[in-house]
Amino acid sequence: MSIVYAGKLSLLCFISPIFSLNFLLLRYVLQIFIAQNLILETTYLSFAYFILLNVILRIFLKDFLYEVGVRALLLGSFFSIGILVAFLAPDSYKVFGWYLSVLTFFHYSEFLAIAISNPETLSVKSYILNHSVDYQIAALASWIEFFVERYFYPDLKLTWWVSACGLLTCIAGEVLRKTAIIQARSGFTHIVQNKRKPDHKLVTTGVYAWTRHPSYVGWFYWAIATQIILVNPICILAYTLASWKFFNDRIIIEELTLLSFFGDDYIEYQKKVPTGLPFIKGYLIDNYQDPD
């Protein structure tokens, strides 16, 4: 399994803050500093380290490679901060550290998965950081709910078994989605394609033997589980409804495209394998008319 140069660069930039910042965790374990001082120290170090590496990247890299590197560096920095918050912050804040690490890793791994499976389509948009305005509003809403509820009901954020279930579901969703991306190879893109490429084949094995849309199934449960980690009851419901509508609409559009690409082969595939998402059947076969 090979990775193009941009993927290797992004990996280096993503992991560098992890090793440089997490030495503070070792210092805490050795009880050299108290946790409160470490958190403050980590905040200062994180910003200083990010600024320093950003300057270095700007000097040595240009255009696309710089944009790739600086995004990976930013995500890696916040991933590291999430780990430290999970270990060092007061108990009612710890799950936000879990969430922050899960969120940043998801966006970074989107880029890396494309770098491995379909490098011809690789761009800075592969991080899907600017997925949509709705996505950004949803993230902001979840942060607001967490901190408001943490202020008024701090014990709500201490239901560890709920957060642990969310974390495990996020990991499972992440693994399923990235496996689907890599197995689909050139057949996967973040934007639904309207023209079939010569090497585009219908994948029906591996995780695609369980569900017709494993990348969407993984993302659907991952998104909801991020709110379970935070124990955000309002956003759990809101994310469930919004995610269901988004993927229902997306799957209908995508299956129309797949039917035009693969015709009867896809119809047979539909009969054997479900979409994998609750109450989503996809584009009904009875409604399909072959354009030929």
Side-chain angles (χ1 to χ4, degrees):
M1 183 182 297
S2 61
I3 307 177
V4 295
Y5 179 75
K8 295 176 182 177
L9 172 67
S10 72
L11 184 59
L12 176 63
C13 291
F14 180 78
I15 65 175
S16 61
I18 299 173
F19 292 110
S20 61
L21 295 180
N22 284 350
F23 83 94
L24 291 174
L25 181 59
L26 176 61
R27 292 167 65 183
Y28 171 64
V29 171
L30 296 175
Q31 298 182 351
I32 296 176
F33 289 100
I34 62 173
Q36 288 84 350
N37 288 343
L38 266 170
I39 293 173
L40 184 61
E41 185 180 344
T42 298
T43 302
Y44 293 143
L45 180 63
S46 299
F47 283 111
Y49 186 81
F50 175 75
I51 292 171
L52 174 62
L53 282 190
N54 189 20
V55 170
I56 294 173
L57 290 177
R58 174 58 78 178
I59 292 173
F60 291 100
L61 300 175
K62 304 297 181 183
D63 303 325
F64 173 65
L65 291 179
Y66 169 75
E67 296 295 335
V68 166
V70 75
R71 284 166 173 77
L73 176 62
L74 181 64
L75 290 170
S77 296
F78 278 104
F79 178 84
S80 297
I81 292 172
I83 293 175
L84 288 167
V85 169
F87 277 96
L88 306 180
D91 287 347
S92 57
Y93 285 110
K94 289 183 183 296
V95 295
F96 193 82
W98 298 6
Y99 162 83
L100 189 59
S101 293
V102 163
L103 180 68
T104 51
F105 184 81
F106 173 83
H107 284 283
Y108 170 70
S109 61
E110 286 289 301
F111 183 90
L112 184 63
I114 296 297
I116 294 171
S117 62
N118 194 7
E120 291 182 0
T121 65
L122 192 66
S123 73
V124 293
K125 292 182 179 180
S126 299
Y127 286 111
I128 59 172
L129 290 169
N130 56 344
H131 178 267
S132 67
V133 174
D134 291 343
Y135 184 81
Q136 294 165 352
I137 291 174
L140 180 61
S142 73
W143 304 341
I144 293 172
E145 180 181 353
F146 175 84
F147 287 107
V148 169
E149 290 175 351
R150 188 266 163 198
Y151 181 80
F152 289 104
Y153 310 105
D155 289 346
L156 180 66
K157 307 305 178 182
L158 298 176
T159 49
W160 302 113
W161 68 272
V162 174
S163 295
C165 288
L167 180 60
L168 292 174
T169 304
C170 273
I171 293 172
E174 177 79 62
V175 170
L176 177 59
R177 178 169 171 82
K178 297 315 184 288
T179 301
I181 292 174
I182 293 173
Q183 285 188 350
R185 301 196 67 80
S186 62
F188 181 92
T189 58
H190 282 120
I191 299 174
V192 177
Q193 301 298 299
N194 53 21
K195 292 184 179 180
R196 181 179 177 182
K197 295 185 292 186
D199 60 344
H200 191 178
K201 298 179 180 180
L202 179 61
V203 181
T204 60
T205 58
V207 293
Y208 289 88
W210 310 338
T211 160
R212 298 201 301 270
H213 302 280
S215 67
Y216 293 161
V217 173
W219 196 357
F220 175 80
Y221 287 108
W222 175 91
I224 298 170
T226 61
Q227 301 312 298
I228 297 175
I229 289 176
L230 295 175
V231 198
N232 280 351
I234 297 174
C235 278
I236 289 173
L237 178 60
Y239 271 52
T240 299
L241 296 175
S243 297
W244 188 92
K245 184 181 186 308
F246 172 79
F247 287 114
N248 182 58
D249 295 344
R250 180 75 174 246
I251 285 174
I252 289 175
I253 294 172
E254 182 165 314
E255 293 210 326
L256 276 167
T257 302
L258 291 169
L259 284 164
S260 69
F261 286 178
F262 302 109
D264 290 339
D265 288 340
Y266 195 77
I267 292 174
E268 290 302 312
Y269 180 51
Q270 284 180 313
K271 293 177 180 178
K272 297 176 182 177
V273 180
T275 65
L277 289 167
F279 307 109
I280 295 180
K281 295 182 178 180
Y283 188 80
L284 297 177
I285 300 174
D286 292 341
N287 294 338
Y288 175 67
Q289 294 181 350
D290 194 318
D292 295 333

